[in-house]
Amino acid sequence: MDSRMDEEGHSRPEDRLLRPDGDTKREDSSQQRNFSWRGSSWRKPVYFVLGSLLFIILLHRTAGFVSLTAFAKWPMTTWPSDGHLGDRYLVGVGKADITGPVVEINFMGYADPKQLGTGLRQRLYSRAFIVGDLDRPDNRFVYLVLDTQSGDTAVRYGIINTLRDLGPEYAAYGHDNIAVTGTHSHAGPAGWLNYLLPQITSKGFDHQGYRAIVDGAVLSIRRAHESLQPGYLSIGTTKVHGANINRSLFAYLANPQEERARYNISAEDDGSVEKDMTMLRFRRASDKKNIGVLTWFPTHGTSLLGNNTLVAGDNKGVAAYLFEKGMRSYPTAADDFVAAFSQANVGDTSPNVLGAWCEDGTGQMCSFENSTCSDGKSQACHARGPFFRADDSGAKSCFEVGRRQFEPAWALYERLDYDGTPVRGAWVKSFHIFHNMSGFSFRLHNGSEARTCPAALGYSFAAGTSDGPGAFDFTQHDGNENTTSPVWRVVSRLLKEPTDAQRACHSPKPILMDVGEMYSPYQWTPNVVDVQAFRVGQLMIIVSPGEATTMAGRRWKEAVRDASAELFKGDKVVPTSVFGFCSTRVAGASVESPVVVLGGPANSYTHYITTEEEYAIQRYEGASTLYGPHTLAAYINVTLSFLPYLSSSNSGVDTTPPSHKGGPFPPDNSNRSLSFVPGVVRDGTPLFKLFGQALVDVEKVYRRGQGELPRVVFVGANPRNDLKLEGTYAQVEKMDATGLGQVWHVVRDDGDWDLVFKWRRTSEVMGTSEVEIVWEIGVDGLEVEVGLYRFRYFGDAKGLMGKVVPFEGVSSVFTLL
């Protein structure tokens, strides 16, 4: 791809030089423009400046909204081509490592206690995006995208408390303006969530993994904060095909036909899932370099299957990896460019786009209504990714679905200058409240009374989905205490017998676990939830604490869009001068039509959010909608109630963020959670071996494209001794010959998709272990040069007295042909 050409083969706007006479033809850098003061070439620029000044003076005298004082403050770097960039904001981006323990810890997502980490395919990151008001810098927000299953209450408390400890420079950041979202990857370590229910399969709380996430998230915010400078924002949308399907189509079809028809565009885009990706581009004003992109698109982080034990960011992590890798040599991108692929209304989506099939020898698809197979159970029902036949725990399909998000995002980025919408309007606003959903009464749009319930999970929750089937005899849609073993009725009532009022509130959900009313030894799941939204110019960001389904997300966004259009119609943006001068922030044209996106799951994991019609079907998503059939309507009601806080300061509405004084506050269980995660006792070596010694060395020669994968096995130690944050466990080095001799350069590390780090325990008694490093050349499509290479391993061994000592291992040199 020629990075200096657009899709149609034209030179990019950044590569054109604007002549004083307005001609935008390419200039030869070796030539000098000579202006003849005796000829006519000087007249146009002089006339241009004089005419501009005259026009400004006339505006000042007639309209009264532009002054020569303001003109004097205008940075001349903005003329004459910045008008299309929109208004200026404070913008900053940052990225940091949050990779927790990659071995011996249960993964978060599939809730399978047997799915324990055995290594690392791709490091996990926090990506931070800050937007602020230039004139009122305290008006700012932080949007975090973590390569985790979700946001979380304990993690969010940890981030906010750590930022507070950094001193007054970070006093602007707090509950009001920090959103902690997760990409919903099911391939990362668990043990960091605040409530008891998700801790059960991970043997409780793991402080090491928790601190990795908190400290990395804070570091990403610090880097974004330190990079803050004036810049521009642009929005664009594109279609993404082949990256998601609806895994609960039976429930989706319960929504009104006329509503579904509004989104049924074609056979390829039938409306059953969102195909639109929205991109927000960050560009600094100083040199017009782009510093990052933030995208929203819904597809589950379940490309890597339940039998995968290598830590990775799943398909969203792949997309971000490819984008950032491509930007390293891109002319419009700044150094340390950050690309984040955030989730949207992800609830009923799946990246396993070939559908759900029975792996029982019948060759049949799973039943449409309840995702079961010939035996009437769900265990054999598995969704298939693009390369489901590959015996790799979904890795190849994962990379493909990530690529299918990356490529349209890249194409959108390339055309955003002429096909995007500048963000305009001097409004950087946010609100956040803690809202008790355990018994919230409100009125629906038709005037009838509605009420939410203390959290509870239905029988179909235990059935899982085709992305990750549950166990025993639970099924989706028709699961209840009469269709499952009587044992589950006993277990349910031993945990907590729901009251008649609770059953009626959740109807038609048959309650399996009354988790919202279980507080021993501490709360099992949240009742007090985060409701949050951001605004910059015409862009509105709904921050969802749960997994909204396709139609639920649409209704939420539509309600905010309609209310915003009415509420903010008095807000004014400054018209950019016809000459492209930087605008001042005074009354002008009305705000453009609101652009609304939904991001999550964020801040606290509240499971699912379905429409009332989908809830009635009681498949997995409906059974996992915690607060009853009116959960979505309650979220919409509360969001719209606080929407005026996002209005402009001159709207006559108090836009000071609502206070958190007096609560309610969710509990912070990070220091009281139970933990049964055993620590590392010691590391040992086999007889006559040393840490870092090669047990299986590389071959002398490998040939590209013939399936020959360079690999080495070292005497290893437990990776939990040091998480190598901002570092690496493994790398590939290439030898380059120079006049000074041989120099080794790092060409891959464990943040790269194609370098796989595996660890295995060989003796519990002796504390011995092995590390295998495999270079899967070509799986990421990146070119690899011929030459001389070697592996390097960085380990840390723990002795009997607890001291941890670092060591290294180096393979022999091999030739790659």
Side-chain angles (χ1 to χ4, degrees):
M1 181 183 302
D2 184 357
S3 59
R4 303 187 67 83
M5 305 293 286
D6 65 20
E7 288 184 314
E8 297 177 354
H10 304 302
S11 60
R12 299 187 173 286
E14 291 83 356
D15 298 327
R16 301 174 193 152
L17 297 177
L18 188 66
R19 299 171 184 258
D21 60 3
D23 186 4
T24 58
K25 295 179 181 178
R26 294 289 302 270
E27 285 279 16
D28 186 340
S29 60
S30 65
Q31 295 177 347
Q32 296 287 331
R33 295 276 301 179
N34 295 315
F35 294 96
S36 170
W37 291 97
R38 295 182 182 275
S40 60
S41 61
W42 62 274
R43 292 192 180 102
K44 288 184 179 179
V46 171
Y47 290 161
F48 179 84
V49 173
L50 290 176
S52 299
L53 288 173
L54 179 61
F55 183 71
I56 291 168
I57 292 170
L58 288 173
L59 285 176
H60 174 63
R61 291 180 175 276
T62 57
F65 68 87
V66 176
S67 69
L68 291 176
T69 303
F71 168 69
K73 295 180 180 178
W74 283 342
M76 294 307 292
T77 56
T78 63
W79 91 280
S81 59
D82 278 8
H84 70 285
L85 294 176
D87 287 336
R88 287 192 177 195
Y89 305 93
L90 277 176
V91 295
V93 300
K95 174 185 172 183
D97 195 343
I98 61 169
T99 309
V102 301
V103 302
E104 301 184 314
I105 300 295
N106 175 243
F107 278 10
M108 178 60 202
Y110 290 113
D112 181 357
K114 300 187 297 296
Q115 189 189 17
L116 301 177
T118 62
L120 180 63
R121 177 175 283 280
Q122 181 188 38
R123 283 200 165 264
L124 309 181
Y125 297 98
S126 168
R127 294 172 171 91
F129 297 82
I130 301 179
V131 177
D133 187 325
L134 272 175
D135 292 339
R136 294 168 287 273
D138 282 348
N139 287 356
R140 64 181 67 182
F141 62 76
V142 183
Y143 192 94
L144 284 174
V145 182
L146 310 181
D147 287 333
T148 59
Q149 182 267 349
S150 66
D152 174 69
T153 299
V155 167
R156 192 170 185 273
Y157 273 131
I159 292 169
I160 291 172
N161 293 337
T162 305
L163 286 171
R164 186 182 301 122
D165 293 341
L166 293 178
E169 185 181 354
Y170 291 87
Y173 305 108
H175 282 300
D176 293 326
N177 59 4
I178 295 179
V180 183
T181 80
T183 60
H184 205 48
S185 168
H186 285 44
W192 43 268
L193 286 101
N194 190 57
Y195 295 95
L196 182 62
L197 182 63
Q199 295 177 5
I200 292 173
T201 55
S202 62
K203 298 181 180 178
F205 197 78
D206 177 55
H207 286 273
Q208 185 185 37
Y210 168 77
R211 286 311 318 179
I213 296 172
V214 170
D215 293 344
V218 170
L219 181 57
S220 70
I221 293 173
R222 290 181 62 183
R223 287 171 172 165
H225 175 82
E226 291 166 1
S227 74
L228 281 172
Q229 58 183 290
Y232 306 95
L233 301 169
S234 296
I235 311 169
T237 61
T238 191
K239 293 289 184 182
V240 178
H241 297 290
N244 61 359
I245 61 169
N246 195 307
R247 70 183 186 191
S248 277
L249 190 58
F250 182 73
Y252 175 83
L253 293 176
N255 293 305
Q257 193 278 333
E258 59 273 18
E259 183 180 30
R260 289 185 280 111
R262 290 164 49 197
Y263 305 100
N264 191 342
I265 299 172
S266 65
E268 192 177 22
D269 188 7
D270 63 3
S272 58
V273 288
E274 295 272 15
K275 297 294 185 183
D276 287 337
M277 173 186 283
T278 301
M279 175 181 287
L280 180 66
R281 185 189 65 188
F282 291 66
R283 170 177 285 180
R284 64 191 183 202
S286 58
D287 58 4
K288 307 302 186 296
K289 292 278 190 177
N290 297 322
I291 61 174
V293 293
L294 173 57
T295 71
W296 290 270
F297 174 77
T299 190
H300 250 80
T302 50
S303 288
L304 292 170
L305 306 176
N307 62 352
N308 167 64
T309 56
L310 297 176
V311 168
D314 212 274
N315 55 69
K316 295 284 185 184
V318 168
Y321 166 75
L322 292 174
F323 209 108
E324 290 172 350
K325 201 91 168 175
M327 283 292 136
R328 291 181 185 176
S329 58
Y330 206 73
T332 64
D335 294 338
D336 300 321
F337 185 98
V338 177
F341 285 73
S342 184
Q343 281 293 358
N345 40 337
V346 64
D348 50 0
T349 67
S350 172
N352 298 307
V353 293
L354 299 185
W357 295 78
C358 292
E359 307 292 347
D360 58 1
T362 63
Q364 300 296 312
M365 294 194 75
C366 307
S367 68
F368 182 60
E369 292 187 11
N370 57 14
S371 299
T372 58
C373 291
S374 57
D375 60 357
K377 297 182 179 181
S378 63
Q379 283 72 52
C381 178
H382 292 276
R384 294 177 175 178
F387 295 99
F388 73 96
R389 296 190 186 278
D391 185 16
D392 60 359
S393 301
K396 192 173 183 180
S397 289
C398 178
F399 191 87
E400 175 64 15
V401 173
R403 185 190 64 79
R404 293 180 185 182
Q405 293 172 77
F406 154 71
E407 288 188 346
W410 184 276
L412 175 60
Y413 172 87
E414 289 192 304
R415 66 174 187 267
L416 208 55
D417 275 330
Y418 52 88
D419 197 26
T421 302
V423 176
R424 302 184 189 277
W427 317 290
V428 180
K429 300 288 185 179
S430 63
F431 74 78
H432 170 277
I433 65 162
F434 291 118
H435 182 70
N436 193 338
M437 292 282 279
S438 63
F440 172 54
S441 296
F442 62 102
R443 288 192 178 275
L444 298 172
H445 65 279
N446 61 8
S448 61
E449 284 282 340
R451 183 175 177 273
T452 57
C453 330
L457 293 163
Y459 271 72
S460 292
F461 159 77
T465 72
S466 54
D467 287 336
F472 307 109
D473 53 352
F474 295 98
T475 58
Q476 297 193 64
H477 173 49
D478 54 4
N480 58 65
E481 62 183 23
N482 297 317
T483 61
T484 55
S485 169
V487 171
W488 305 121
R489 188 184 315 173
V490 174
V491 170
S492 173
R493 292 174 181 176
L494 282 175
L495 290 172
K496 169 69 173 64
E497 174 79 19
T499 64
D500 290 342
Q502 176 76 330
R503 293 180 188 276
C505 188
H506 279 275
S507 179
K509 177 198 295 176
I511 296 176
L512 174 65
M513 292 193 293
D514 192 12
V515 286
E517 298 184 310
M518 294 162 65
Y519 296 92
S520 179
Y522 44 91
Q523 198 166 342
W524 282 51
T525 203
N527 280 322
V528 176
V529 307
D530 304 74
V531 178
Q532 187 176 40
F534 295 156
R535 180 191 183 190
V536 52
Q538 72 268 35
L539 176 64
M540 318 288 296
I541 304 173
I542 302 168
V543 183
S544 172
E547 300 179 54
T549 60
T550 298
M551 195 63 83
R554 285 169 175 160
R555 291 184 187 177
W556 201 346
K557 289 188 292 183
E558 185 174 341
V560 169
R561 186 182 301 112
D562 292 347
S564 299
E566 179 63 27
L567 184 64
F568 305 146
K569 64 183 180 182
D571 292 351
K572 302 293 182 181
V573 297
V574 178
T576 303
S577 126
V578 294
F579 300 110
F581 286 109
C582 177
S583 59
T584 56
R585 294 181 170 184
V586 290
S590 296
V591 66
E592 298 182 48
S593 299
V595 176
V596 184
V597 295
L598 182 148
N603 296 329
S604 181
Y605 185 57
T606 64
H607 293 257
Y608 283 72
I609 304 168
T610 59
T611 67
E612 195 167 336
E613 295 86 350
E614 293 163 352
Y615 183 91
I617 297 300
Q618 280 298 294
R619 279 177 59 89
Y620 175 83
E621 294 79 14
S624 302
T625 296
L626 290 181
Y627 310 111
H630 303 300
T631 297
L632 171 62
Y635 278 122
I636 293 174
N637 178 278
V638 177
T639 303
L640 297 186
S641 297
F642 288 89
L643 203 62
Y645 285 96
L646 304 185
S647 186
S648 66
S649 57
N650 59 4
S651 62
V653 177
D654 181 10
T655 59
T656 304
S659 173
H660 291 88
K661 290 183 179 180
F665 286 94
D668 181 357
N669 295 324
S670 58
N671 290 319
R672 60 181 298 212
S673 291
L674 300 174
S675 181
F676 301 98
V677 179
V680 179
V681 178
R682 66 176 291 269
D683 292 288
T685 62
L687 290 175
F688 313 115
K689 301 293 183 182
L690 301 174
F691 288 113
Q693 184 174 344
L695 296 174
V696 179
D697 210 345
V698 295
E699 302 289 340
K700 291 183 179 180
V701 178
Y702 295 92
R703 292 169 177 81
R704 298 172 300 167
Q706 297 187 20
E708 299 179 359
L709 303 180
R711 63 182 291 270
V712 62
V713 179
F714 293 105
V715 176
N718 198 311
R720 291 166 60 200
N721 293 327
D722 189 327
L723 301 181
K724 302 294 181 186
L725 293 168
E726 301 292 312
T728 185
Y729 290 115
Q731 62 191 34
V732 178
E733 300 171 344
K734 183 177 184 293
M735 188 183 75
D736 294 322
T738 68
L740 300 176
Q742 297 176 351
V743 179
W744 291 94
H745 296 288
V746 178
V747 295
R748 294 289 191 279
D749 61 29
D750 63 15
D752 288 290
W753 181 263
D754 60 349
L755 189 64
V756 180
F757 173 84
K758 300 178 181 178
W759 178 89
R760 55 181 170 268
R761 173 74 68 192
T762 55
S763 173
E764 292 283 353
V765 175
M766 300 297 294
T768 56
S769 61
E770 295 176 353
V771 160
E772 180 184 18
I773 305 171
V774 182
W775 189 10
E776 297 182 348
I777 297 173
V779 298
D780 57 3
L782 300 178
E783 288 294 325
V784 178
E785 296 179 348
V786 299
L788 299 177
Y789 294 87
R790 70 184 184 188
F791 288 107
R792 188 181 293 273
Y793 160 49
F794 300 91
D796 300 88
K798 186 174 185 180
L800 275 173
M801 303 304 293
K803 184 178 181 180
V804 176
V805 179
F807 64 88
E808 294 183 17
V810 182
S811 75
S812 297
V813 177
F814 61 93
T815 301
L816 190 64
L817 298 178

